[in-house]
Amino acid sequence: MDEMTKVRELRAGAPVPDRARLTPGRARLIEAARSGERRRALWQRREFVIVGVVAAVTAVAVTVSLLVGGGTGRKVQPAVSPGVTLKGVSAAEFLRRAADVLDTEPDGAVPTAKQWIYTKSVQEPLDKRAQDVKGPMRLLLGPRESWLRFDGTAMADQQLDAKGEHLKLHITKMHLENGGEGDDRSPRELYRVLAALPADAEQTLKVLREKNAIADGKGVSQARNDYVEISVLLDADVMPSKGLASLYRALATLPGGQLTDHLVETAAGRRVIALSYAREDNPKSGETMRDQWLIDPQTYRIVGMRLVTGDKVDGGNSLVARAVVDEAGERG
């Protein structure tokens, strides 16, 4: 069997990962947020790049079972977990409750500029055809591992060597801060923004509207523009607890949130809370598409995001593990 050809066939329909597999869902999420509008380069405003960090955090390390079954277009399966009651709970109620819990969580030390954020994730949904590929090629179709320096000056991932026989750590120099590489930002910059958000929901929305880091869509409601601003920050690699609480409280004031009344299972094997927000209708089927945020029921941290049409998962990624490490290649 020609394994290289097989890999190309399997991956032909997959979205091109941003930052070389660091967070493969980021490109899809940001593209959805833009809604056809060009993003303004306002992250470069001096007042938006906050110098002081008012809270500290280390990324929560999450380790779960590895790959589980499921193929292209698999249905969203309910999961069973005692002690989690979601029936009758509104999205707003859940978000406010989660924010109150996050407010009580202490944060660890802020990652240093030279430390790396390690991320391991799997693509939603899993493709069982990957089981037909043997050897090192199969590793590229499983969970993705990547590293990004906290200051955004380098990223790393696993790539096949010239012979296609072994995986080798590949490091790429970057310059994400202060608009050095377009509209993406380093984990440190996003962390600083999150750490400075007000605790109050309305004040948080006011700050986001004033900074307007993402261009408002033409003919789009204020609530939709607010959601876009919040959604991009929700995708940050490292989050202070109080910053995430601020985003949740702001999100709770927006209409359209829908909380699934049972836990669902991700491609990473994690049982999670699913919080959805409607997008545009699918042009082929006419069904409504939704952003579905995957939230850990114990930590209330976001562990993935996927696109759902009806009861089918169309794409996205879910977290297997994340940690702060000292060197690229380390896994915490």
Side-chain angles (χ1 to χ4, degrees), residues 41-79:
L42 297 185
W43 289 91
Q44 300 180 52
R45 288 181 176 175
R46 185 174 299 273
E47 69 270 19
F48 199 54
V49 181
I50 300 151
V51 176
V53 177
V54 299
V57 71
T58 55
V60 176
V62 180
T63 304
V64 299
S65 300
L66 295 182
L67 304 182
V68 296
T72 302
R74 71 179 177 87
K75 292 186 176 182
V76 181
Q77 297 293 334

Side-chain angles (χ1 to χ4, degrees), residues 192-203:
R192 289 171 173 172
V193 171
L194 287 162
L197 288 177
D200 177 77
E202 292 301 330
Q203 289 301 313

